[in-house]
Amino acid sequence: MSEAVENLPAAATGSVRRSRDVPMLVERARAGDPRAVARLITLVENGDALLPEIAAALAPYAGQAQVVGLTGSPGVGKSTTTNELVRALRARGHRVGVLAVDPSSPFTGGAILGDRVRMQDHATDPGVYIRSMSSRGHLGGLAAATPQAVRVLEGAGCDVVLVETVGVGQAEVEVASLADTTLVLLAPGMGDAIQAVKAGILEIADVFVVNKADRDGVDATVRDIQGMIALGERGPGQWRPQVVRSVAARGEGIDDIAAAIDKHRGWLVEHGELRRRQEARAAAEIEAIALGVLRARIGSLRDGTELSTLAARVAEGALDPYAAADTLLAQLAR
């Protein structure tokens, strides 16, 4: 996206870094200015007071990008696979945005943000925007700001947005509510057939990618996943998850992954599932924003006497916690 910057005055591009002019930032982002994109995502991550204005300015561009999520346990090759997918998508002429979420320390709050180190091949490509984000303690594999950051990249004209989660466990499935297509990456030697049938992350996959397929045990891993898929009940026309092998470090199998994504995209459009997923994603955003506002209001009550009074009555047995919660909600409504 850097080509557009060359046509802008130096003073203008420099002013973008601290600008609070939302219409100007969105206009520059639409023109491909990476500084404007970075500024908008920073405002989103920080929960700035301009966030509602930013969301309103980006609303006309919602749903214009294909959102692909990549998730899996630590060490399965998510960043390497993302890097190779970017290469394949750029070969097709797509503008690509990447949001790579890294874990933050529960002690210091810091994060290395090292995923993009593996994507240096694309650092000078004007058709690629890569942003590392700290999870900031948010559970589920993403950062709280990731959905709005996706909207920024859609507004910036990205055709495809790749969202790479932190290394996740069995129950961290939030990416499925954000992505049109979810890739779950696995590697040989990370579990047996029992692991393959456990509920959780394996249930959200639209495409399974068995990476590091040059290792021993790959056939057993593929067989276990196919067995798990066979156990699922599916009606006529329902999507059957694809299983693809790859060795991302050597660029092998990437075309097969891209083909599986294309096949799933076609199914989504044909069956009206794409619109349903987009509406579900919007509902999740609305709910998260509303809950955030409620949490902030509840937090403000802690500075008053209402919550303390209710807590004291519950502690002494004069009031049950459900009745106290009803009273607190009534207070919020007022």
Side-chain angles (χ1 to χ4, degrees):
M1 296 185 181
S2 59
E3 284 180 337
V5 181
E6 296 175 1
N7 299 321
L8 298 173
T13 57
S15 66
V16 166
R17 295 176 180 174
R18 296 185 178 276
S19 176
R20 298 182 63 80
D21 184 342
V22 172
M24 182 272 287
L25 288 172
V26 172
E27 181 182 355
R28 294 281 178 82
R30 294 287 297 167
D33 183 350
R35 294 182 181 88
V37 177
R39 178 60 175 159
L40 286 169
I41 293 180
T42 296
L43 291 170
V44 165
E45 280 193 287
N46 292 338
D48 195 274
L50 291 174
L51 190 50
E53 184 180 350
I54 294 170
L58 294 172
Y61 313 110
Q64 296 185 9
Q66 180 181 5
V67 183
V68 179
L70 296 93
T71 191
S73 302
V76 295
K78 293 188 297 297
S79 295
T80 305
T81 302
T82 300
N83 183 66
E84 295 303 316
L85 272 177
V86 170
R87 195 187 313 280
L89 292 167
R90 288 296 292 140
R92 298 180 178 186
H94 293 314
R95 295 179 70 182
V96 183
V98 178
L99 295 173
V101 184
D102 277 324
S104 55
S105 169
F107 303 104
T108 66
I112 296 177
L113 302 181
D115 281 341
R116 57 185 170 184
V117 172
R118 296 186 177 91
M119 305 180 201
Q120 287 303 303
D121 297 346
H122 311 291
T124 59
D125 186 341
V128 179
Y129 182 88
I130 300 171
R131 174 77 174 220
S132 290
M133 306 179 71
S134 168
S135 65
R136 301 190 181 191
H138 184 76
L139 301 178
L142 300 177
T146 304
Q148 292 304 317
V150 168
R151 288 188 177 274
V152 172
L153 293 181
E154 285 183 317
C158 290
D159 301 302
V160 182
V161 177
L162 302 177
V163 180
E164 178 193 333
T165 73
V166 302
V168 299
Q170 290 177 328
E172 293 163 305
V173 298
E174 187 176 352
V175 68
S177 66
L178 178 66
D180 302 323
T181 300
T182 301
L183 275 58
V184 172
L185 276 69
L186 306 163
M190 300 193 72
D192 56 14
I194 299 299
Q195 294 294 334
V197 297
K198 284 186 176 180
I201 189 173
L202 297 183
E203 294 183 298
I204 68 171
D206 299 306
V207 179
F208 286 101
V209 178
V210 182
N211 192 34
K212 305 183 180 181
D214 52 344
R215 290 184 174 181
D216 292 338
V218 63
D219 291 336
T221 300
V222 170
R223 187 167 57 250
D224 289 342
I225 295 302
Q226 290 175 334
M228 183 207 70
I229 294 172
L231 291 174
E233 295 182 3
R234 293 176 181 82
Q238 286 189 303
W239 175 254
R240 181 183 176 87
Q242 306 288 291
V243 183
V244 181
R245 305 184 190 210
S246 70
V247 185
R250 298 203 298 255
E252 297 175 6
I254 302 303
D255 289 341
D256 293 335
I257 297 174
I261 294 172
D262 290 342
K263 185 176 181 179
H264 184 248
R265 177 76 172 187
W267 178 84
L268 290 172
V269 173
E270 180 183 352
H271 291 81
E273 182 69 10
L274 180 61
R275 172 57 63 180
R276 192 200 69 78
R277 291 195 180 196
Q278 289 173 338
E279 291 178 357
R281 185 158 71 227
E285 282 187 76
I286 295 167
E287 182 181 5
I289 292 168
L291 289 174
V293 172
L294 284 174
R295 288 190 189 100
R297 291 181 180 177
I298 290 173
S300 67
L301 288 178
R302 290 182 179 275
D303 298 329
T305 60
E306 182 70 18
L307 184 58
S308 298
T309 301
L310 289 171
R313 294 185 64 195
V314 170
E316 66 188 17
L319 188 68
D320 69 86
Y322 286 93
D326 287 340
T327 303
L328 185 62
L329 289 172
Q331 176 73 10
L332 288 173
R334 291 196 296 271

